[in-house]
Amino acid sequence: MLDTLKFFLFVVLLLITIILNQNVTSKKSGERDLSQFWKLENANGTLKMENLTLPSGVYTALEQGLIIESILDFKNDLTTKWIARDNWTYSLGLPCDLEDFNFTHVLLTLHGVDTFADIYLGDTLIGQTYNMFTRYRFNIKAKLKYECRHSLRLRLVIRSPVAEAASLSANYQSRKIVPECPPKVYNGECHVNLIRKMQASFSWDWGLSAPSMGIWKPVRLEFYNSVKIRDITFALSDEETHWSVLIGVYLEVGTSRRKINGTLTFKILGVEIPSEQQIIAVDETSNSFGELLVEHNLTIPRKDVNLWWPNGYGKATLYNLYVKWEDSQINNIRFHYRDTQIAEKIVRVGFRTIKLSQERTSDGLMFYFIVNDIPIFMKGSNWIPSSVLPESSYDENYVKFLLYAARDANMNMLRVWGGGVYESDYFYRLADELGILIWHDMMFACSTYPTNDEFLVNVAIEVHQNVRRIQHHPCVALWATNNENEVALRQNWYGTRLNEEAYVADYKKLYVNIIQPEILKVDKWRTVLISSPSNGDRSIEEDYYAKNPQDPRYGDVHYYNYVLDGWNPIIYRGGRFISEYGFQSFPAFTSWPIRDLDMNGLADLIEHRQHSPLRNGPILQMIEENLPMPTKNSSNYWRDIIYLSQVSQAMIVKTETEVYRSKRIEQGTMGALYWQLNDVWIAPSWSSIEYGGKFKILHYWMKAIFAQRHVVAYINAMKMLDIYLIRDTLGPNETWSVEVKVQRWNKFMPVEQLSYNLNVSKNTVVKLGSIDIYDHMNQKQLDAKEHILLIDVYRNDKRIAENFVFLGKVKQATQISNVNVNLNVASVSCNAASNIVKLSIEVTVNYPAVFVYLELTPENSALKQCQFSKNGFLQFKPIQTIYMQCVDMGCKSKIQSSDITVLTINQLMFQEDV
């Protein structure tokens, strides 16, 4: 009888357990993504759109609803200005799941609202947003429980950012925040520096005014009983035999102070962690915002992990770090359900050391990055948002395309510029995978900013949240608190000198006293620069306001020159690290959205979109200085000018970059990041990749310019030929053979050849020597301007590098011949699974061809992201094969040689109207 009773009780307990476990399934904590079925309308209700999906912005929604044409077309940046002067409401009917009310925490989390919004549940105002970069959380449990018996609607009433900025300016009590407005040629809006919004959204010298509004990141309902793991930070200390790892776990327990008790478990997948380090107990109280930081140390033997390396130096090895929270009462079934007491998060991490070294030299300070104990020359570009509309800037396919383009061009660093946005998690994850280091600005650029308490609190939260989110990524190399604001004050860009002391005090208050400490609260293991450009550690000695922030003996410099001949290498003064430099060109002729416009219409559109106050003058001046200039009445004037502008830009950036690479030993130059990688519309700009993904000639060239093994040669100030061999790889010494061929412009065979052999050690620059090339040619009775130098470098009989040197102006080379270029599509294949079509194209010439430029005709607009294996090249052999690939959805295109146009300098020199 007793045994029967025991069995009966066992069955009852088992049934209770099953019932409780069934409740676990229905009451599992987590998130509900509120991404679909949004409604948008303007203030007076005359414009309405239904069934919108997040991310969303007003401009994008209006275009999708066929209410406006794209803001990127024609002069629509002017015709759509009314949009940003209206107020707009996003609304959504909330699901009412009564079981959600039984959780301790029910939060509405807005990850990114652009920018000023009043948040309503039903008719109740539950909060406001006033920073595009900040995450906002609202405890809505009580409101939901009360209102859910009726239909409940979430509304975000988004106010005009243009009006808000103007209002803040009118009511600001201190000195003027300057510049108040952008230059008139920008066609922009005023006072963007008073609001925490993408600074470039009110216009920039490369971008249109698009004062966006919308919900550019997810909106989620979060519900749980215990905690949520929001962010994880990861810091390394490199010991002789092991890594000391400090992991920071940021827990959220609602929105108010609360006591929590439980355990955290740590695992790094693929790495053995001692059992005593895997689990820790937590018994603490959160802060008043419901947040708690828990830190934990791990010790990992160095032999157990592989290093993360930048692109070109090794594999970017990543590991999954897994963190799990379990509430201490998890096994007490009287009070809690198991699944509601667990929180988990995985982030990818890398094991690497990085240091910004600034040791003293005889004339200043060095400034270079050491990664895994290897000094590395940083090669790369500057990244602006991939779209001027924030809701589109997180497009993973386009971000992937751009980052792969950077990787394939041998870049190992990109600078996330301070007038854009803190990028998506996907951006940093992919940079981790590709080994692309990130120089990261905070989002402050080219301006003064307010320093009232409200603004400073707003900024502190923004910086703290974003650094927390990004910090664990091994790609992040350093933080800089702003772009060009120190040099703007020192050089009086905005007329601040009459009140300089006050403006400088505001500058230090914002960046030195607020932003820098907020970064260091989260990440004290990386260098924080107060500005870029700056004198680095020297700026600290000068109390963060250097006499010359552009001093080439310290820190980083930004260098632009629109007066001197940019093709001439002697104009480049160098520096320790050049974090901005570049020159403008026009996007391809076929890229302009001209429809039925004639050439006058195209000229007008180019003029409208040229935001540089210098207009097109520098572009045309550099063409006229070095290349044949078409006459303005030529029927092909703009086609030719656009092509020549891309040749000139490529030559200027090539020359400047190669000077910087060559000066690693002689001047301590250790970084070259040209301005800029990408664009936000089709317009004159400094980019190497057009908006949409078409490579300019410059980007084709960057692969060789940034190659791991490269030869650089140029004529120095003494009219001598300097030759440098550059090796950015590790390993034993290598023997390189160098051939310098003196080539006549109209002959395939060289006139003569000079040969050299040299040992090149790892990760360095070796100067082969200086050659009096002009004297040599005089002795050979050779006219320098009628010849070009072609330089090839071989290792083990395989060519590893090539380059060229002009001995005179291209436009003065009278022996350049009228060339016939014939194209033959030798093979075509298309992969139906990937939609990638690949072609091999035989290029045949009867004379050497100068800057051969290939482009698909507009009739092939269905093909996307087309790339040639090389472009804008010199062809000094009768035939060569060029490869091309495109995205061809459905593999429907039938490409023939007639679908590819060709331009050369030769052809332009023999046009009657040139």
Side-chain angles (χ1 to χ4, degrees):
M1 184 68 180
L2 184 59
D3 290 339
T4 303
L5 181 59
K6 287 181 178 179
F7 178 78
F8 176 78
L9 291 173
F10 171 79
V11 171
V12 171
L13 288 172
L14 180 61
L15 289 172
I16 293 173
T17 302
I18 292 172
I19 292 170
L20 290 175
N21 284 335
Q22 288 175 340
N23 283 339
V24 168
T25 302
S26 64
K27 287 183 54 55
K28 192 170 183 177
S29 60
E31 300 177 343
R32 181 170 296 155
D33 188 34
L34 305 179
S35 62
Q36 295 182 316
F37 308 119
W38 287 81
K39 178 181 177 181
L40 174 66
E41 59 184 315
N42 64 342
N44 62 15
T46 56
L47 295 174
K48 296 181 181 181
M49 281 141 286
E50 305 275 357
N51 295 322
L52 300 180
T53 299
L54 303 185
S56 176
V58 174
Y59 287 99
T60 302
L62 291 174
E63 180 187 349
Q64 292 172 345
L66 303 179
I67 295 172
I68 63 168
E69 292 183 315
S70 171
I71 191 174
L72 303 180
D73 286 347
F74 310 107
K75 296 183 180 179
N76 290 349
D77 56 318
L78 300 181
T79 62
T80 59
K81 278 186 175 292
W82 59 272
I83 295 171
R85 286 164 169 74
D86 205 345
N87 298 332
W88 299 83
T89 297
Y90 279 88
S91 61
L92 175 72
L94 283 185
C96 284
D97 187 343
L98 296 179
E99 288 190 343
D100 293 348
F101 308 147
N102 294 321
F103 287 97
T104 305
H105 310 292
V106 181
L107 301 175
L108 174 67
T109 301
L110 309 170
H111 287 270
V113 177
D114 184 13
T115 293
F116 298 94
D118 298 324
I119 316 298
Y120 291 89
L121 269 182
D123 295 326
T124 303
L125 177 67
I126 63 169
Q128 295 179 309
T129 70
Y130 35 83
N131 189 319
M132 170 183 172
F133 308 119
T134 298
R135 177 182 63 253
Y136 292 87
R137 298 184 303 137
F138 305 101
N139 189 339
I140 61 171
K141 178 178 178 178
K143 181 67 177 174
L144 274 177
K145 193 168 186 178
Y146 176 76
E147 295 282 359
C148 250
R149 67 195 68 176
H150 314 292
S151 60
L152 184 62
R153 201 155 189 85
L154 171 64
R155 290 185 297 129
L156 279 70
V157 181
I158 300 180
R159 305 190 301 279
S160 161
V162 176
E164 289 291 323
S167 175
L168 287 168
S169 175
N171 294 309
Y172 193 67
Q173 298 299 312
S174 187
R175 65 201 61 82
K176 287 183 179 179
I177 305 303
V178 291
E180 294 187 278
C181 299
K184 288 185 178 180
V185 294
Y186 288 19
N187 299 306
E189 304 292 353
C190 300
H191 308 300
V192 72
N193 41 1
L194 276 80
I195 62 178
R196 292 312 300 145
K197 176 176 175 56
M198 183 172 81
Q199 297 293 276
S201 67
F202 276 29
S203 75
W204 216 263
D205 54 5
W206 42 257
L208 67 161
S209 174
S212 52
M213 294 164 286
I215 308 174
W216 72 295
K217 288 187 180 183
V219 175
R220 295 191 173 108
L221 282 178
E222 299 174 344
F223 35 89
Y224 51 92
N225 278 333
S226 184
V227 306
K228 181 176 182 63
I229 301 174
R230 179 67 67 185
D231 296 308
I232 297 174
T233 58
F234 185 82
L236 294 168
S237 295
D238 182 20
E239 310 295 341
E240 185 174 346
T241 61
H242 64 275
W243 293 96
S244 180
V245 181
L246 180 62
I247 299 172
V249 182
Y250 287 85
L251 304 175
E252 291 181 357
V253 288
T255 57
S256 59
R257 189 179 302 276
R258 186 178 295 268
K259 179 76 177 235
I260 63 171
N261 188 280
T263 60
L264 282 169
T265 301
F266 299 85
K267 293 181 182 180
I268 300 178
L269 304 187
V271 179
E272 193 69 32
I273 299 175
S275 57
E276 66 272 13
Q277 297 184 35
Q278 290 183 11
I279 301 177
I280 64 169
V282 179
D283 185 8
E284 298 185 47
T285 301
S286 71
N287 63 20
S288 58
F289 301 104
E291 297 178 337
L292 174 66
L293 168 63
V294 178
E295 295 183 313
H296 179 53
N297 281 289
L298 299 177
T299 299
I300 298 174
R302 290 182 63 87
K303 63 181 178 61
D304 288 355
V305 295
N306 296 317
L307 293 176
W308 183 96
W309 285 98
N311 183 30
Y313 282 84
K315 186 177 179 182
T317 305
L318 296 168
Y319 294 89
N320 288 319
L321 168 61
Y322 169 77
V323 178
K324 180 174 71 172
W325 165 271
E326 290 183 289
D327 195 271
S328 62
Q329 299 182 9
I330 193 165
N331 295 315
N332 190 338
I333 61 173
R334 292 177 301 170
F335 301 109
H336 293 278
Y337 298 92
R338 178 178 175 82
D339 285 357
T340 69
Q341 302 308 115
I342 294 177
E344 300 169 302
K345 191 175 182 71
I346 296 177
V347 297
R348 292 191 305 176
V349 297
F351 288 83
R352 61 102 184 94
T353 60
I354 188 162
K355 175 186 176 184
L356 179 60
S357 183
Q358 299 187 64
E359 70 264 23
R360 194 164 296 279
T361 67
S362 60
D363 65 339
L365 298 176
M366 290 295 291
F367 190 95
Y368 64 98
F369 291 90
I370 302 175
V371 182
N372 299 330
D373 298 325
I374 302 297
I376 293 182
F377 188 103
M378 293 301 163
K379 304 173 293 187
S381 189
N382 284 259
W383 173 278
I384 63 172
S386 59
S387 173
V388 73
L389 300 175
E391 64 273 14
S392 300
S393 69
Y394 276 26
D395 180 341
E396 291 186 0
N397 289 330
Y398 192 48
V399 167
K400 180 178 181 179
F401 171 80
L402 291 173
L403 286 180
Y404 268 77
R407 189 276 308 271
D408 293 344
N410 293 306
M411 298 184 195
N412 55 28
M413 177 174 277
L414 290 173
R415 175 171 174 252
V416 173
W417 168 75
V421 298
Y422 305 94
E423 291 293 334
S424 66
D425 293 337
Y426 178 79
F427 172 91
Y428 302 106
R429 288 199 303 268
L430 192 54
D432 288 341
E433 291 178 9
L434 300 179
I436 298 177
L437 287 162
I438 302 298
W439 170 311
H440 210 302
D441 288 357
M442 298 293 105
M443 296 304 121
F444 301 83
C446 301
S447 184
T448 64
Y449 287 90
T451 56
N452 58 315
D453 291 344
E454 182 180 9
F455 187 85
L456 295 179
V457 169
N458 192 2
V459 165
I461 295 171
E462 165 196 326
V463 171
H464 185 82
Q465 282 190 8
N466 283 283
V467 174
R468 259 176 48 177
R469 176 175 66 91
I470 299 166
Q471 187 276 344
H472 70 271
H473 291 279
C475 66
V476 178
L478 65 68
W479 309 100
T481 71
N482 70 79
N483 169 77
E484 296 187 343
N485 292 341
E486 179 185 7
V487 69
L489 286 175
R490 179 57 78 182
Q491 296 181 359
N492 195 35
W493 291 5
Y494 310 122
T496 54
R497 186 155 293 157
L498 292 177
N499 200 6
E500 184 176 19
E501 186 175 340
Y503 279 109
V504 171
D506 283 351
Y507 172 86
K508 294 178 184 178
K509 186 176 182 181
L510 177 58
Y511 302 112
V512 180
N513 299 339
I514 298 295
I515 296 179
Q516 182 185 39
E518 285 299 328
I519 295 173
L520 293 175
K521 284 179 185 177
V522 179
D523 188 3
K524 51 182 171 288
W525 303 275
R526 290 183 178 92
T527 298
V528 179
L529 297 178
I530 297 301
S531 190
S532 176
S534 81
N535 289 345
D537 286 349
R538 175 67 176 175
S539 286
I540 300 173
E541 297 173 9
E542 296 183 87
D543 196 22
Y544 299 100
Y545 190 53
K547 293 180 180 178
N548 177 16
Q550 292 272 50
D551 193 325
R553 299 171 299 168
Y554 308 95
D556 68 312
V557 299
H558 296 183
Y559 182 76
Y560 298 92
N561 193 316
Y562 303 125
V563 178
L564 302 176
D565 181 7
W567 291 45
N568 189 343
I570 70 173
I571 75 168
Y572 299 113
R573 64 180 187 176
R576 304 302 193 200
F577 195 109
I578 298 83
S579 53
E580 274 195 34
Y581 63 96
F583 200 83
Q584 277 196 337
S585 69
F586 300 116
F589 181 71
T590 57
S591 297
W592 288 89
I594 57 176
R595 288 190 187 170
D596 299 326
L597 294 178
D598 58 16
M599 288 303 99
N600 289 330
L602 174 59
D604 181 57
L605 187 60
I606 290 174
E607 181 71 11
H608 169 70
R609 296 190 175 197
Q610 174 56 276
H611 284 186
S612 169
L614 298 174
R615 316 306 293 155
N616 295 327
I619 297 177
L620 301 178
Q621 179 185 337
M622 285 301 98
I623 295 172
E624 191 166 17
E625 179 76 25
N626 294 284
L627 296 166
M629 189 74 173
T631 58
K632 288 191 174 181
N633 59 1
S634 164
S635 60
N636 292 318
Y637 176 79
W638 276 109
R639 182 204 68 177
D640 296 344
I641 283 293
I642 287 170
Y643 159 64
L644 292 169
S645 80
Q646 290 202 17
V647 169
S648 186
Q649 179 198 34
M651 276 300 304
I652 290 169
V653 176
K654 172 186 185 295
T655 302
E656 188 168 359
T657 304
E658 292 184 337
V659 168
Y660 296 149
R661 291 197 72 186
S662 74
K663 297 305 180 184
R664 173 171 181 167
I665 304 300
E666 296 174 351
Q667 294 184 5
T669 302
M670 285 295 287
L673 310 179
Y674 70 89
W675 185 271
Q676 67 211 60
L677 180 71
N678 53 310
D679 254 332
V680 298
W681 65 339
I682 298 299
S685 88
W686 296 257
S687 75
S688 63
I689 303 177
E690 298 176 8
Y691 180 71
K694 183 179 289 185
F695 288 2
K696 293 181 178 178
I697 291 175
L698 172 59
H699 202 82
Y700 284 106
W701 286 19
M702 290 314 301
K703 185 173 184 178
I705 295 169
F706 278 154
Q708 293 170 269
R709 293 177 176 90
H710 192 39
V711 57
V712 168
Y714 50 80
I715 305 299
N716 66 24
M718 304 302 294
K719 297 294 183 181
M720 305 284 281
L721 173 67
D722 285 345
I723 301 178
Y724 298 87
L725 304 180
I726 300 173
R727 180 183 169 197
D728 287 346
T729 63
L730 306 179
N733 289 358
E734 299 176 352
T735 300
W736 292 9
S737 300
V738 182
E739 295 180 356
V740 180
K741 292 179 284 190
V742 181
Q743 198 89 31
R744 194 171 177 87
W745 280 110
N746 61 352
K747 301 291 183 181
F748 290 120
M749 295 298 293
V751 174
E752 69 167 330
Q753 180 173 302
L754 308 174
S755 299
Y756 308 88
N757 290 304
L758 204 66
N759 282 327
V760 183
S761 59
K762 66 180 180 181
N763 200 38
T764 193
V765 174
V766 178
K767 186 174 183 180
L768 188 150
S770 296
I771 303 168
D772 194 342
I773 191 67
Y774 290 102
D775 181 66
H776 177 81
M777 297 194 69
N778 285 335
Q779 291 181 27
K780 299 285 186 177
Q781 296 184 332
L782 300 174
D783 186 348
K785 76 175 186 299
E786 302 299 346
H787 294 80
I788 179 177
L789 302 181
L790 301 182
I791 304 171
D792 293 317
V793 179
Y794 295 87
R795 174 177 173 247
N796 299 330
D797 297 325
K798 180 181 179 182
R799 186 166 64 183
I800 59 172
E802 60 182 325
N803 214 328
F804 59 88
V805 178
F806 296 138
L807 298 176
K809 303 283 188 184
V810 173
K811 68 177 183 179
Q812 296 171 347
T814 61
Q815 296 301 314
I816 291 178
S817 299
N818 192 6
V819 69
N820 291 321
V821 183
N822 293 311
L823 304 180
N824 175 44
V825 176
S827 66
V828 181
S829 64
C830 191
N831 186 320
S834 64
N835 292 304
I836 298 295
V837 61
K838 295 183 178 182
L839 294 84
S840 61
I841 306 160
E842 294 174 346
V843 182
T844 305
V845 296
N846 59 335
Y847 289 103
V850 185
F851 300 137
V852 180
Y853 178 66
L854 309 177
E855 186 178 12
L856 278 177
T857 59
E859 290 74 21
N860 291 278
S861 59
L863 297 172
K864 303 298 181 184
Q865 297 177 357
C866 295
Q867 302 169 38
F868 295 94
S869 56
K870 59 192 295 189
N871 214 343
F873 51 87
L874 302 175
Q875 182 159 337
F876 272 80
K877 53 186 178 182
I879 187 170
Q880 70 171 319
T881 301
I882 303 297
Y883 301 96
M884 185 185 79
Q885 73 172 32
C886 303
V887 175
D888 180 12
M889 300 306 296
C891 292
K892 298 178 181 178
S893 299
K894 306 295 181 184
I895 306 175
Q896 304 175 26
S897 57
S898 58
D899 293 314
I900 303 171
T901 61
V902 182
L903 277 174
T904 65
I905 296 296
N906 309 56
Q907 295 165 322
L908 268 60
M909 293 184 79
F910 284 88
Q911 286 182 180
E912 293 183 1
D913 52 6
V914 173

